[in-house]
Amino acid sequence: MFLFCLYKIEALKEEDCPATVLQIFTKYLELVRKLQQTYRMEPAGSHGVWSLDDHQFIPFLWGSAQLIGNPTLQPHHFPDPKIAAENAKDYMFMNCIEYINKVKTGLFAEHSNQLWNISAVPYWEKVNSGFLKMYKVEVLSKYPVIQHVLFGSLLSISPAASPAPTTGDS
């Protein structure tokens, strides 16, 4: 939300989006992961093996968007720890998978069942649209996540206007 507010006050511009995600947010993830490991912290919004943890939706959402149109990496590749490790520095999604492989033990299909199921989706576009739908339902619409947000001039409590429907959408 902090980054969103920086865009709202125009401290960051639209052309800053790639750097915001790939540099600032990536450094934030590194810090959070280091704190979790150092102090053995359980992340807020942890769902265990049954779902993707709340704190992980954004890096997976943005990471899957980064992979749309990638000619060599397909969704079925990411459960392979070697492929994830080889691509972790270049792709946020693969970095998330590499981190999971470092902190969890056992078979990927058992400790990260939701992600294992997602690896069967044939295209990154579909993976990304699925993450967006899950993020809206599992994070944004949950009271425990939103209850601490301070609404005001930057973050309005008023519902957003629905986008105008486009032709060809189903």
Side-chain angles (χ1 to χ4, degrees), residues 14-104:
E14 189 172 340
E15 60 268 16
D16 298 321
C17 285
T20 301
V21 171
L22 298 173
Q23 293 176 343
I24 299 171
F25 189 76
T26 300
K27 290 294 182 192
Y28 166 76
L29 274 180
E30 289 173 13
L31 173 65
V32 169
R33 289 172 179 169
K34 186 171 188 144
L35 290 170
Q36 288 171 352
Q37 289 179 308
T38 301
Y39 298 105
R40 299 176 193 208
M41 299 164 61
E42 180 72 17
S46 180
H47 296 282
V49 300
W50 306 112
S51 181
L52 194 60
D53 294 343
D54 294 350
H55 71 284
Q56 291 286 357
F57 271 96
I58 290 292
F60 277 108
L61 177 65
W62 288 344
S64 60
Q66 184 186 20
L67 287 163
I68 291 173
N70 186 293
T72 56
L73 292 173
Q74 299 302 315
H76 70 270
H77 290 129
F78 76 75
D80 183 331
K82 186 176 183 233
I83 292 175
E86 288 171 353
N87 293 282
K89 296 218 182 320
D90 297 322
Y91 299 101
M92 184 179 287
F93 191 98
M94 295 299 179
N95 183 270
C96 291
I97 299 298
E98 181 190 42
Y99 178 71
I100 288 170
N101 289 331
K102 285 180 183 176
V103 299
K104 298 200 177 192

Side-chain angles (χ1 to χ4, degrees), residues 115-163:
L115 287 169
W116 174 257
N117 291 332
I118 290 168
S119 73
V121 175
Y123 306 107
W124 287 113
E125 292 88 349
K126 194 162 173 108
V127 170
N128 182 258
S129 68
F131 275 123
L132 182 58
K133 289 174 189 170
M134 286 184 353
Y135 182 69
K136 288 177 180 177
V137 171
E138 297 295 330
V139 179
L140 292 180
S141 68
K142 301 291 182 181
Y143 176 73
V145 175
I146 298 300
Q147 70 180 337
H148 300 292
V149 175
L150 298 175
F151 293 101
S153 60
L154 289 179
L155 297 171
S156 172
I157 198 165
S158 302
S162 297

